[in-house]
Amino acid sequence: MRIDLHTHSNRSDGTDTVDVLMRHAQQAGLDVIALTDHDTADGWVDGRRAAEELGIGFVPGLEISCKLNGISVHLLGYLLDPTYAPLAKDLQVVREGRTDRIPTIVARLNSIGVPLTVDEVLAQATGTPSVGRPHVADALVANGTVANRSEAFDRFLADGRAGHVPHYALEPGAAIELVREAGGVPVIAHPWGRSSYKVMTEENLAGLVADHGLAGIEVDHQDHSPASREALRAIARNLGIIYTGSSDHHGLGKIDHDLGVNSTEPEQFERLLDVAKANAAASGSVVPEAYLP
Ligand code: AMP
Ligand code: ZN
Ligand code: FE
Ligand code: FE
């Protein structure tokens, strides 16, 4: 069983349509794929249909933009009711906040001599209502300013660079509760990745479990060194929570994140499905089921 629980399509900032992503998942030999676009469930219907046609398992999910003490933290939510109003409303605010700052980002880049227009950015975000920094990066690649997304982030878009304009994000504790209220399973994505390692200490993770009902953490992820993975796995075991592994695939948008590069152990996936069942029952919501052929 090859299970990849974190991938993106062009419904957020991946470069493949949902259909192409599902075909690539089958070609990569995956048995189960979760679609976890940023702050949207837009791709779930297409993903489920495509996966069923291809005979691979499909888990609907999303990756919620959170912030703790100003530091970006991502929360994966699986098998939840996307129409649960308090969550849906917050996700819409996140998406609008991300998109609304694009003119500010463009103006800041122009002011340091980088040629770019808002229209060039929008032309890169055809499949999504939520325009993010990766689309700005793609526009900078298209007009020849940089060679790839990485260079765009390193020079212009990463936190602290001229083109980084923060957007609204949820508190992780609140987002975990919203996912559970919506009948789903909350899992912290790449807790020791990029910047979130500063705030995702063992103590804070323990607090998210005890006070808010965090169900798991992503352990096997390309942002984690072998030593970090072992330390995080030990933390998950200590806390009695699920640990997952995944690619965080973005199509051509992220190198070294090929589908299936990391995967989730079947026993951990079974645990996740058990928590999903329990949280769904407790919520009273109508939640989508995993498709497992
Ligand atoms: P946004 O929500 O618009 O701020 O964009 C956040 C997304 O940009 C993340 O989900 C990543 O996919 C991507 N990203 C953030 N930092 C980097 C980086 N240093 N290099 C490449 N991609 C990044
Ligand atoms: Zn992304
Ligand atoms: Fe992420
Ligand atoms: Fe991601």
Side-chain angles (χ1 to χ4, degrees):
M1 280 279 272
R2 308 260 306 145
I3 303 163
D4 188 339
L5 291 183
H6 182 170
T7 70
H8 297 268
S9 75
N10 71 347
R11 299 301 171 94
S12 62
D13 57 10
T15 57
D16 292 325
T17 62
V18 172
D19 279 88
V20 168
L21 175 66
M22 293 302 142
R23 205 163 342 113
H24 287 173
Q26 187 203 37
Q27 286 162 358
L30 295 183
D31 299 292
V32 178
I33 180 173
L35 176 66
T36 54
D37 275 311
H38 297 283
D39 308 301
T40 180
D42 262 17
W44 289 6
V45 171
D46 283 349
R48 158 83 194 224
R49 173 194 40 74
E52 203 165 336
E53 284 165 11
L54 295 162
I56 60 172
F58 179 75
V59 178
L62 37 71
E63 186 175 14
I64 303 174
S65 303
C66 301
K67 224 186 269 181
L68 186 58
N69 304 332
I71 306 283
S72 171
V73 171
H74 288 170
L75 179 73
L76 295 160
Y78 298 104
L79 296 160
L80 54 83
D81 171 11
T83 69
Y84 177 62
L87 177 63
K89 230 185 314 170
D90 253 341
L91 293 178
Q92 192 183 342
V93 177
V94 174
R95 294 194 301 266
E96 287 171 359
R98 178 181 287 116
T99 304
D100 289 349
R101 76 194 161 140
I102 296 297
T104 310
I105 293 177
V106 169
R108 287 216 197 159
L109 292 177
N110 291 161
S111 76
I112 59 163
V114 176
L116 187 68
T117 66
V118 171
D119 282 346
E120 284 177 295
V121 177
L122 298 182
Q124 298 297 325
T126 48
T128 173
S130 184
V131 190
R133 279 181 291 168
H135 303 109
V136 177
D138 290 346
L140 292 171
V141 174
N143 75 14
T145 303
V146 296
N148 50 47
R149 275 190 185 180
S150 283
E151 186 187 345
F153 271 89
D154 290 347
R155 290 175 59 192
F156 303 120
L157 299 171
D159 296 20
R161 302 279 179 228
H164 178 236
V165 177
H167 62 76
Y168 170 75
L170 288 75
E171 287 281 331
I176 288 166
E177 290 184 18
L178 286 172
V179 168
R180 291 176 53 226
E181 286 162 21
V185 184
V187 173
I188 293 281
H190 44 72
W192 288 0
R194 265 186 212 113
S195 55
S196 53
Y197 71 91
K198 294 176 195 158
V199 289
M200 286 295 104
T201 58
E202 177 162 15
E203 191 185 357
N204 281 344
L205 286 169
L208 292 176
V209 174
D211 302 336
H212 303 282
L214 178 65
I217 56 177
E218 192 175 55
V219 165
D220 289 298
H221 184 281
Q222 294 301 80
D223 285 359
H224 295 155
S225 69
S228 291
R229 295 179 190 208
E230 287 328 299
L232 282 165
R233 216 181 312 278
I235 289 173
R237 291 202 174 107
N238 279 342
L239 296 174
I241 58 174
I242 300 161
Y243 59 89
T244 66
S246 51
S247 64
D248 200 359
H249 184 67
H250 280 67
L252 300 174
K254 255 186 193 178
I255 50 164
D256 211 22
H257 287 256
D258 292 342
L259 286 166
V261 64
N262 301 299
S263 58
T264 298
E265 295 169 12
E267 311 84 80
Q268 299 298 317
F269 182 53
E270 286 302 322
R271 287 178 73 188
L272 192 146
L273 294 177
D274 287 345
V275 174
K277 225 175 275 170
N279 287 359
S283 74
S285 285
V286 178
V287 298
E289 284 181 12
Y291 171 69
L292 300 170

